[in-house]
Amino acid sequence: MLFNLDGQVALVTGASRGIGRAIAEQLVAAGATVVGTATSASGAESIGAYLGDKGMGYAVDVTDADAVAELLKAIDEKYGQLDILVNNAGITRDNLLMRMKDDEWDAVLDTNLKAVFRMCKGVMRGMMKRRNGRIINISSVVGTTGNPGQANYCAAKAGLVGFSKSLAQEIAARGITVNCVSPGFIDTDMTKSLTDDQKQSIFKNIPTARLGAPEEVAAAVVFLASPAAAYVTGETIHVNGGMAMV
Amino acid sequence: MSTIEERVKKIIIEQLGVKEEEVKPEASFENDLGADSLDTVELVMALEEEFETEIPDEEAEKIKTVQSAIDYVTNHSND
């Protein structure tokens, strides 16, 4: 069973809705136990509700180093292992660079890039000892193409790709793979704020002429998390309906 | 209870997959025992766990031979 994740434990950040939720649900469908995080207690509760006995929701601010350490300790105490880490939590603070404030830059870099560094560092020791692990970082098509008004977000998302390639080279010999999944325009709360006009102009650049579904991103994550992808590392899988073929 | 020296040597044997007779005091992890940079980081992690201590990076960099590992632990152990 190449795609079977029975007996594996996964951590998915930003799992209360959108792509993160779809990832958590599909990892469970493949057999994994999933810990999903959200920033709020109510978000964590809703994760616990949809996961049921297949995992748990956990409220944590991924930029809070102490809180992240506590989370990893709690997972270790409850499950004794962590096989799969999916860094999905992300935020946007869009602004043209001329007007971008330091705090808009810092907030996006802290959540979308620095938190990933810290989370990876936190899970590596256990994975290295067991000579097994899967780290999947959710990047974005705009990390490759750029996007006006999102210099901070694009910098962080492009940063994840270089980060992942470096880490992949450091720990490949320990049986740990590090990859990115890079979604295009996906039907989530993050893209719901787009107007119809904006959507139409975006569709012009998407050969499939539609938004992607969160499940279509999750499928790529499950592949990378599975034994089937043991020989894939440092790679970025683009899931964007053909909008950027790179 | 094993001595510090025995415990350190046991960890080196386990971590680097080397034979006991190779673990001489002057043996260098990288030059004599075939360790790469990640192996030495893992070795330091294993020492930290065994002796319940935290080895700062600048100290860890100096731990390059079997004897230097034994010396570090001997000087910093609470046992």
Side-chain angles (χ1 to χ4, degrees):
Chain A
M1 287 293 287
L2 273 174
F3 298 94
N4 192 322
L5 300 177
D6 279 346
Q8 306 217 26
V9 179
L11 169 60
V12 181
T13 65
S16 63
R17 56 208 165 97
I19 292 172
R21 176 172 179 161
I23 291 168
E25 287 180 328
Q26 286 198 27
L27 288 172
V28 164
T33 300
V34 174
V35 179
T37 77
T39 40
S40 68
S42 63
E45 245 173 65
S46 79
I47 295 167
Y50 78 72
L51 286 174
D53 60 357
K54 304 293 191 201
M56 63 172 179
Y58 197 100
V60 66
D61 172 358
V62 293
T63 64
D64 180 340
D66 293 339
V68 167
E70 258 177 56
L71 160 68
L72 297 177
K73 195 164 158 239
I75 292 171
D76 190 48
E77 278 166 7
K78 184 156 184 185
Y79 302 108
Q81 66 186 80
L82 181 64
D83 308 280
I84 301 159
L85 167 66
V86 183
N87 286 304
N88 168 73
I91 59 167
T92 55
R93 294 283 184 276
D94 296 355
N95 213 339
L96 292 173
L97 198 75
M98 288 277 295
R99 305 189 58 83
M100 189 174 287
K101 311 280 185 300
D102 277 15
D103 64 337
E104 291 168 335
W105 175 270
D106 290 341
V108 168
L109 270 288
D110 278 353
T111 299
N112 299 12
L113 188 57
K114 189 173 183 184
V116 172
F117 148 73
R118 204 182 281 121
M119 194 68 86
C120 288
K121 212 174 152 188
V123 305
M124 272 173 60
R125 188 177 282 228
M127 287 181 175
M128 282 173 70
K129 272 195 176 170
R130 297 209 319 286
R131 294 290 190 265
N132 178 60
R134 292 281 193 276
I135 296 172
I136 298 140
N137 297 321
I138 306 303
S139 180
S140 168
V141 63
V142 297
T144 304
T145 62
N147 197 26
Q150 290 199 304
N152 49 1
Y153 187 78
C154 296
K157 291 300 189 181
L160 282 179
V161 174
F163 169 85
S164 301
K165 288 177 179 175
S166 303
L167 183 57
Q169 291 180 34
E170 288 184 18
I171 58 179
R174 300 299 185 275
I176 306 167
T177 68
V178 189
N179 292 286
C180 290
V181 170
S182 189
F185 281 91
I186 308 298
D187 194 5
T188 66
D189 290 346
M190 213 185 254
T191 49
K192 276 204 174 70
S193 57
L194 297 170
T195 65
D196 281 349
D197 280 353
Q198 283 174 316
K199 280 188 186 171
Q200 283 313 316
S201 76
I202 289 165
F203 288 172
K204 271 188 225 150
N205 298 316
I206 305 178
T208 44
R210 64 173 176 85
L211 294 174
E215 292 73 21
E216 291 171 314
V217 176
V221 174
V222 171
F223 164 67
L224 290 171
S226 75
Y231 203 54
V232 180
T233 194
E235 185 54 81
T236 299
I237 298 184
H238 292 267
V239 182
N240 61 31
M243 125 179 222
M245 300 186 184
V246 287
Chain B
M1 188 76 187
S2 322
T3 64
I4 284 177
E5 185 171 338
E6 284 163 351
R7 287 160 73 194
V8 170
K9 282 187 173 172
K10 185 163 172 279
I11 287 171
I12 294 168
I13 291 164
E14 278 170 13
Q15 283 293 323
L16 304 182
V18 291
K19 296 197 187 77
E20 198 175 341
E21 58 266 29
E22 293 177 86
V23 186
K24 296 174 186 136
E26 70 279 9
S28 149
F29 300 130
E30 297 200 16
N31 298 330
D32 301 315
L33 301 179
D36 64 18
S37 57
L38 191 57
D39 288 323
T40 53
V41 172
E42 277 191 296
L43 182 62
V44 167
M45 274 164 40
L47 290 170
E48 287 178 334
E49 271 173 40
E50 170 73 18
F51 296 99
E52 292 173 4
T53 178
E54 217 167 282
I55 305 177
D57 284 349
E58 59 270 25
E59 293 294 330
E61 281 167 17
K62 294 180 200 153
I63 302 177
K64 294 186 163 170
T65 63
V66 174
Q67 190 61 50
S68 62
I70 294 167
D71 289 346
Y72 180 86
V73 175
T74 307
N75 294 334
H76 295 84
S77 176
N78 306 319
D79 298 1

